[in-house]
Amino acid sequence: MKNKCLLICLLFYIISFFTYAQEPYIEKDSNKIFRHNNKNVCFVKSEDRLPLNKSHRNSKYKQTNMESCQVEDLELWNCEIDFRYIPLPSKNSIDMLLVPMDCGDFPYRLYLITIKDHQIRSELYVEGEWYESGYNEDMIEKTHFNISKDFIITVTTEYDNKLTIKHYYLNDNGYIEEKNNNN
């Protein structure tokens, strides 16, 4: 009876070990551990759900080490040693990330990049502020975006009391394309 119980317990521990050892863990916020669910092991899964309509101005960035991340040309989107991003909901095998481009003159500019098959497929400026230095500092161009449940990206830009609204969609190959009357 003792041997049978020992064998069952041992079998239970072995199965439990292999079940949990299959997915890598990513450390986030120093003391929480999350299972990684995205296809690309570089990025954590977004906690947001679609539709998405919020400002990311004061959002905390996630980080991934550039040396361990095998995404082609990702270093072009990096201002620091570690790549900073905000994860957005993924579509099938397409990762969508907001990337800050704050290493230039403007501290608040976010680009949406899409990644599929370890390649950056598209980029789109979607959120932030821009102004012409030396000119009327009250005239600030403000851009924000939202994403519908079916991944329609709407980018709205306000400047000089005028609104420009553009709609984009994410195709199956991971490219962001402007939506027109035909699609």
Side-chain angles (χ1 to χ4, degrees), residues 33 66 112:
I33 296 180
M66 293 296 293
L112 171 63

Side-chain angles (χ1 to χ4, degrees), residues 15-25 35:
I15 290 172
S16 297
F17 172 78
F18 284 109
T19 300
Y20 291 108
Q22 289 178 6
E23 291 184 345
Y25 286 89
R35 233 180 249 277

Side-chain angles (χ1 to χ4, degrees), residues 13-171:
Y13 288 121
I14 289 172
I15 290 172
S16 297
F17 172 78
F18 284 109
T19 300
Y20 291 108
Q22 289 178 6
E23 291 184 345
Y25 286 89
I26 291 180
E27 195 168 324
K28 178 178 137 191
D29 298 333
S30 72
N31 58 2
K32 294 180 184 175
I33 296 180
F34 292 85
R35 233 180 249 277
H36 183 75
N37 290 324
N38 283 9
K39 301 277 184 197
N40 195 323
V41 295
C42 297
F43 313 113
V44 296
K45 183 177 180 180
S46 174
E47 296 172 2
D48 291 325
R49 301 285 177 247
L50 295 181
L52 181 66
N53 187 14
K54 69 178 186 177
S55 170
H56 294 86
R57 183 180 195 109
N58 296 316
S59 296
K60 289 187 177 186
Y61 299 119
K62 309 297 183 212
Q63 293 185 335
T64 191
N65 186 294
M66 293 296 293
E67 292 176 9
S68 63
C69 191
Q70 301 298 316
V71 174
E72 193 174 310
D73 295 329
L74 191 62
E75 68 277 357
L76 300 175
W77 290 93
N78 195 28
C79 293
E80 299 183 6
I81 295 171
D82 290 328
F83 177 76
R84 296 173 303 145
Y85 67 97
I86 299 169
L88 296 178
S90 298
K91 179 182 180 184
N92 302 327
S93 61
I94 303 165
D95 287 312
M96 294 187 5
L97 308 174
L98 283 180
V99 180
M101 292 308 295
D102 53 4
C103 44
D105 293 336
F106 302 100
Y108 173 46
R109 290 183 66 82
L110 297 173
Y111 281 77
L112 171 63
I113 65 172
T114 59
I115 299 172
K116 183 175 179 173
D117 299 329
H118 303 285
Q119 295 177 337
I120 295 174
R121 296 292 173 99
S122 283
E123 61 193 61
L124 181 65
Y125 171 59
V126 293
E127 185 176 328
E129 295 177 350
W130 178 89
Y131 54 89
E132 190 71 42
S133 69
Y135 289 96
N136 185 355
E137 301 273 334
D138 293 331
M139 302 237 342
I140 298 175
E141 178 186 275
K142 297 179 181 180
T143 301
H144 63 276
F145 76 104
N146 62 53
I147 303 175
S148 70
K149 284 185 178 184
D150 49 352
F151 288 90
I152 301 299
I153 303 158
T154 302
V155 179
T156 304
T157 302
E158 180 182 356
Y159 183 70
D160 197 18
N161 294 321
K162 295 176 186 157
L163 280 180
T164 303
I165 300 171
K166 292 187 177 183
H167 302 280
Y168 302 87
Y169 68 97
L170 183 61
N171 73 22

